């Protein structure tokens, strides 16, 4: 491996029986998982046993050889695209603590190459940083740092890495290509951020307009306790360019049968009678839950409950805007209005007569209790 190479890993070797080559390491004394306890005629093995048991003034030479062999074995695994195994050997080489800075730099850069393939980008940055403390002109460390930073969408930092390296290695093709890629990524990132900022600005403007519209309509906003939102939300009528007409999701409750309907798009200038006539036409079959056939347009009454528990009877020709206006408190009284709960307005629909009278009486008793 040459120090100025910027490929993703160690250089490829001619194709050979990789498994056989890797298996051969298990018989080499430097890579045995443990030394035999019995006497051996192998001089290398005997030397290692002496090093382990007795120590030697030349131990640092053996350490360098051990680290170098771990590096070479890691290279074999890397060429076979067995990145996790290669990473393990490079780590063992690093843990051997060789004093040769070129060897330590190579081990760190090679482990970074493995982590780059495994998408462990934080580990790539840590190893490259360590390599650069050993050699401030390590093109490999800069290249792999920049590659990890691009993958993390930290393109400004990636460009900084490229620029630092190109300052002393201006002809490095890998860095030049990566710099071009990072530059394009930075342009795209700027575009995305501008689009996102514009979307946020528009959302904030829309929210401010909605807040003003809600106050003008005397609404009390009651969001869900868990912070979630209703799939139907109040909004301005897209057919009104002046943004003076609102559309609300509305619940019709039928307490007599403990059921309900939702009108997802209730334009505030449409009379309640128009919806009732559509939902309960006189000649149509009654809903399954209307066991007595009492829910028929023209024979129904609608009630609204305000924030202060006032009960408003909705006239047949009244629009939603009319009801919102009627919910306003009288001058000098505490503020009042309808509640926009979970993004919806709620009204009670009852058949005229005894059912209506009983429900109104029960509501007032509960309210005044």
């Amino acid at each position: 491996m040459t120090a100025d190479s910027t490929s993703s890993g160690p250089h490829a070797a001619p194709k050979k029986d990789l498994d056989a080559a890797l298996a051969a390491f298990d018989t080499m004394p430097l890579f045995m998982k443990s030394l035999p306890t019995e006497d051996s005629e192998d001089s290398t093995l005997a030397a290692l046993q002496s090093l382990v048991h007795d120590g030697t003034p030349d131990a640092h030479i053996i350490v360098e050889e051990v680290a170098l062999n771990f590096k070479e074995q890691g290279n074999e695994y890397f060429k076979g695209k067995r990145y996790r195994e290669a990473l393990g050997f490079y780590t063992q080489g690093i843990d051997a603590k060789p004093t040769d800075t070129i060897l330590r730099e190579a081990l760190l850069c090679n482990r970074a190459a493995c982590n780059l393939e495994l998408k462990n980008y934080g580990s790539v940055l840590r190893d490259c940083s360590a390599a650069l403390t050993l050699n401030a002109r390590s093109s490999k460390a800069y290249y792999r740092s920049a590659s990890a930073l691009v993958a993390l969408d930290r393109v400004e930092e990636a460009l900084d890495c490229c620029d630092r390296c190109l300052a002393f290695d201006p002809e490095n093709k890998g860095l030049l290509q990566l710099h071009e890629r990072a530059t394009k990524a930075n342009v795209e990132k700027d575009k995305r951020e501008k689009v996102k900022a514009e979307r946020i600005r528009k959302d904030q403007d829309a929210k401010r307009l909605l807040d003003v519209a809600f106050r003008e309509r005397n609404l009390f906003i009651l969001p869900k306790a868990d912070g979630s939102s209703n799939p139907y939300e109040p909004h301005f009528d897209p057919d009104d360019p002046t943004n003076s007409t609102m559309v609300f999701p509305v619940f019709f409750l039928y307490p007599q049968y403990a059921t309900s309907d939702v009108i997802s798009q209730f334009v505030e200038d449409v009379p309640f009678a128009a919806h009732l006539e559509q939902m309960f036409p006189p000649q149509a079959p009654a809903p399954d839950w209307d066991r007595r056939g009492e829910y028929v347009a023209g024979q129904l009454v609608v009630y609204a409950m305000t924030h202060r528990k006032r009960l408003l009877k909705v006239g047949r020709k009244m629009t939603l805007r009319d009801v919102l206006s009627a919910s306003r408190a009288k001058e000098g009284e505490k503020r009042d209005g309808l509640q926009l709960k979970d993004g919806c307005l709620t009204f009670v629909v009852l058949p005229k007569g005894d059912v209506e009278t009983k429900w109104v009486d029960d509501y007032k008793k509960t309210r005044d209790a």
Side-chain angles (χ1 to χ4, degrees):
M1 290 167 48
T2 56
D4 61 348
S5 171
T6 54
S7 62
S8 64
H11 290 287
K15 182 173 178 61
K16 59 183 178 178
D17 188 347
L18 180 60
D19 290 336
L22 296 177
F25 283 109
D26 293 334
T27 65
M28 296 171 61
L30 287 176
F31 296 104
M32 286 183 174
K33 295 179 180 177
S34 63
L35 296 177
T37 55
E38 298 179 358
D39 292 338
S40 171
E41 295 181 0
D42 188 316
S43 59
T44 304
L45 182 56
L48 281 176
Q49 288 173 323
S50 175
L51 175 63
V52 170
H53 298 299
D54 304 326
T56 172
D58 295 327
H60 72 281
I61 297 175
I62 302 297
V63 167
E64 302 299 310
E65 291 179 358
V66 168
L68 180 61
N69 277 280
F70 276 131
K71 170 178 167 286
E72 291 173 351
Q73 192 169 5
N75 290 353
E76 293 294 330
Y77 275 95
F78 191 96
K79 290 163 193 171
K81 297 185 178 181
R82 295 169 65 175
Y83 304 118
R84 293 192 185 280
E85 292 93 330
L87 185 149
F89 281 107
Y90 294 138
T91 297
Q92 290 180 80
I94 293 167
D95 290 346
K97 302 187 186 318
T99 57
D100 183 340
T101 57
I102 294 176
L103 177 56
R104 286 163 59 198
E105 176 197 343
L107 286 163
L108 287 164
C109 287
N110 286 3
R111 187 167 71 174
C114 293
N115 277 314
L116 195 59
E117 295 290 345
L118 296 169
K119 300 183 179 180
N120 299 326
Y121 301 122
S123 297
V124 174
L125 297 176
R126 283 190 291 275
D127 278 348
C128 289
S129 176
L132 288 167
T133 63
L134 299 172
N135 176 13
R137 289 178 167 239
S138 175
S139 295
K140 285 183 181 179
Y142 275 117
Y143 178 85
R144 287 162 195 167
S145 287
S147 297
L149 290 166
V150 168
L152 292 169
D153 202 28
R154 293 162 58 180
V155 287
E156 295 91 347
E157 295 169 81
L159 285 170
D160 181 64
C161 276
C162 291
D163 290 338
R164 288 172 185 267
C165 186
L166 291 170
F168 63 81
D169 190 5
E171 303 302 321
N172 191 310
K173 291 183 180 179
L175 259 298
L176 289 169
Q177 291 173 352
L178 184 58
H179 187 280
E180 183 180 356
R181 208 170 96 223
T183 300
K184 290 179 180 178
N186 198 34
V187 170
E188 291 301 315
K189 184 179 180 181
D190 284 344
K191 287 180 181 178
R192 291 196 305 271
E193 288 180 349
K194 286 178 182 177
V195 169
K196 181 181 177 181
E198 180 63 13
R199 185 176 67 249
I200 290 172
R201 186 192 66 77
K202 287 182 177 179
D203 289 345
Q204 290 173 340
D205 288 346
K207 186 179 183 304
R208 280 193 289 271
L209 286 173
L210 277 176
D211 289 342
V212 170
F214 291 160
R215 285 196 298 273
E216 290 175 347
R217 289 161 176 78
N218 316 302
L219 288 169
F220 286 76
I221 313 303
L222 302 179
K224 280 188 176 181
D226 61 5
S228 61
S229 59
N230 194 301
Y232 307 114
E233 295 183 348
H235 58 272
F236 291 104
D237 187 348
D239 294 330
D240 181 359
T242 65
N243 280 346
S244 58
T245 305
M246 290 202 69
V247 181
F248 292 90
V250 169
F251 270 118
F252 277 178
L253 302 183
Y254 314 115
Q256 182 184 7
Y257 294 108
T259 190
S260 63
D261 280 320
V262 62
I263 302 170
S264 60
Q265 307 280 328
F266 196 128
V267 180
E268 63 180 342
D269 288 328
V270 174
F272 277 79
H275 286 288
L276 293 176
E277 286 167 4
Q278 232 179 10
M279 297 166 70
F280 305 105
Q283 305 305 320
D288 293 339
W289 49 264
D290 182 12
R291 294 189 291 270
R292 300 178 183 176
E294 297 173 297
Y295 285 74
V296 179
Q299 299 176 24
L300 300 173
V301 63
V302 179
Y303 282 93
M305 295 79 70
T306 72
H307 183 70
R308 289 173 47 206
K309 309 300 182 185
R310 288 190 298 136
L311 202 56
L312 303 178
K313 190 170 185 177
V314 178
R316 189 172 181 277
K317 294 182 180 181
M318 289 181 76
T319 63
L320 180 52
R321 193 192 293 267
D322 293 333
V323 178
L324 292 168
S325 179
S327 69
R328 184 193 302 271
K330 294 179 181 178
E331 190 173 347
E333 292 183 351
K334 190 175 179 180
R335 181 172 174 259
D336 200 10
L338 300 188
Q339 292 181 338
L340 188 67
K341 189 173 183 180
D342 303 340
C344 290
L345 295 170
T346 300
F347 297 87
V348 169
V349 179
L350 300 159
K352 296 177 182 178
D354 294 341
V355 173
E356 173 194 2
T357 301
K358 183 179 184 308
W359 182 85
V360 170
D361 289 344
D362 289 345
Y363 176 85
K364 290 180 178 179
K365 286 177 184 177
T366 301
R367 178 192 64 186
D368 300 336

